[in-house]
Amino acid sequence: MVKRARTGLEESTGLDFGQARPREPMRVRPTVEDAAVPHHAGHRDRLRERFSKAGPNAVADYELLELVLFRSIPRRDVKPIAKALLARFGNLAEIVAAPVPLLAEVEGVGNATALDIKIIAAFNQRTLRTEVSDRDIIGSFDRMMDYIRAVMAHEAREQFRLLFLDRKNGLIADEVQHIGTVDFTPVTPREVVRRALELHASAIILVHNHPSGDVTPSMADIEMTRQIIDMAQPLGIKVHDHVIVGRANSVSLRKSRYI
């Protein structure tokens, strides 16, 4: 066996250039394009596909909210924003009912996105109102209640609303007569009857909300309703009902035999 003589460089460095050394794996540095791809890439397409194929019941509330936010916030992971909105307001109904300034306080939302959420709420309310307008309200009580809950249940202050009906119980007008405080709305029977006469209404439904959530009618609610009935009846105007709406439920004074 012939022994190879070491070179001067090998002797000075202690290295053996004649011995093969294992090759280290090549390290590939990320390109600019790779670095630009966000960690949530593809999530939007996957979520849209799941909604498209399986329907709304296949997605959680925060995912449904994500689908809405996709269009308002095109290049950002909106899952944290959707979850932050739900954490702040509690549920989807409270989110769409919240005023723009409060929505905009959530990090990542801003005024433009808050306005988009309110547009969706208005679209839903308008759809429900169309369904009510095209029907006999008394014969479609459940649909009427869906509409009333959508427009009033989550209001922070009391509203007194009047639904004016024609002889076939079709909706002539839907008007907010008064907006009060968190627990009081000033209403005068004379104003209610006067407005019904102006619109040539044959019947009316009284509606107001209790922001506290307790829909138990007060003695003032019952007495005011009876006064309106007594004043309207001689003029040929029938008071079909007085409905009190809360965040989770409602009560009909007529069905509960308060009037």
Side-chain angles (χ1 to χ4, degrees):
M1 178 176 179
V2 178
K3 185 176 181 180
R4 185 178 64 84
R6 292 169 64 86
T7 66
L9 181 60
E10 289 174 329
E11 290 178 352
S12 63
T13 60
L15 299 175
D16 184 356
F17 295 125
Q19 182 180 358
R21 288 182 297 177
R23 181 178 298 176
E24 293 184 2
M26 183 180 296
R27 296 179 181 178
V28 180
R29 294 183 179 179
T31 64
V32 175
E33 290 78 6
D34 292 335
V37 176
H39 70 278
H40 55 278
H43 171 66
R44 296 187 174 210
D45 290 338
R46 291 191 296 271
L47 188 54
R48 287 190 182 105
E49 183 178 7
R50 175 147 52 96
F51 179 86
S52 177
K53 290 183 177 180
N57 292 332
V59 297
D61 283 355
Y62 78 89
E63 292 175 317
L64 189 61
L65 189 52
E66 279 188 82
L67 289 165
V68 172
L69 295 175
F70 285 165
R71 297 187 177 279
S72 298
I73 309 173
R75 290 178 296 277
R76 184 173 176 180
D77 182 7
V78 298
K79 183 185 293 185
I81 300 174
K83 290 188 173 182
L85 282 165
L86 284 167
R88 170 70 181 274
F89 298 103
N91 56 52
L92 294 177
E94 294 287 352
I95 290 172
V96 298
V100 167
L102 290 184
L103 290 170
E105 288 179 2
V106 176
E107 184 177 356
V109 176
N111 286 322
T113 301
L115 185 60
D116 284 346
I117 292 173
K118 299 306 294 183
I119 291 171
I120 292 170
F123 184 89
N124 180 53
Q125 292 174 9
R126 193 71 59 86
T127 301
L128 291 171
R129 177 172 176 166
T130 300
E131 292 183 356
V132 170
S133 299
D134 293 341
R135 297 170 182 265
D136 173 353
I137 284 187
I138 304 304
S140 307
F141 188 81
D142 290 342
R143 288 186 179 274
M144 180 194 74
M145 290 306 304
D146 287 342
Y147 167 66
I148 290 173
R149 291 189 190 100
V151 298
M152 295 184 67
H154 300 277
E155 290 294 327
R157 294 189 295 170
E158 275 201 16
Q159 286 186 2
F160 184 75
R161 200 178 201 100
L162 293 173
L163 305 182
F164 299 97
L165 312 180
D166 60 21
R167 294 185 182 279
K168 296 182 179 180
N169 291 324
L171 184 64
I172 297 175
D174 165 23
E175 297 180 353
V176 176
Q177 294 296 303
H178 292 283
I179 297 177
T181 62
V182 293
D183 59 0
F184 175 72
T185 303
V187 178
T188 61
R190 188 180 301 277
E191 290 182 28
V192 173
V193 175
R194 178 183 60 79
R195 185 57 178 157
L197 291 172
E198 289 176 350
L199 294 172
H200 304 288
S202 297
I204 54 178
I205 296 175
L206 317 175
V207 187
H208 82 277
N209 62 312
H210 281 179
S212 67
D214 181 5
V215 296
T216 304
S218 66
M219 288 305 300
D221 293 333
I222 298 170
E223 180 60 27
M224 179 266 293
T225 306
R226 289 172 176 168
Q227 289 178 6
I228 294 175
I229 292 172
D230 291 342
M231 188 173 294
Q233 190 170 7
L235 300 173
I237 302 171
K238 183 174 182 179
V239 178
H240 281 310
D241 206 344
H242 185 171
V243 178
I244 302 175
V245 181
R247 292 179 180 270
N249 52 7
S250 59
V251 63
S252 160
L253 268 64
R254 178 74 66 183
K255 290 185 176 180
S256 302
R257 298 187 177 181
Y258 287 108
I259 57 175

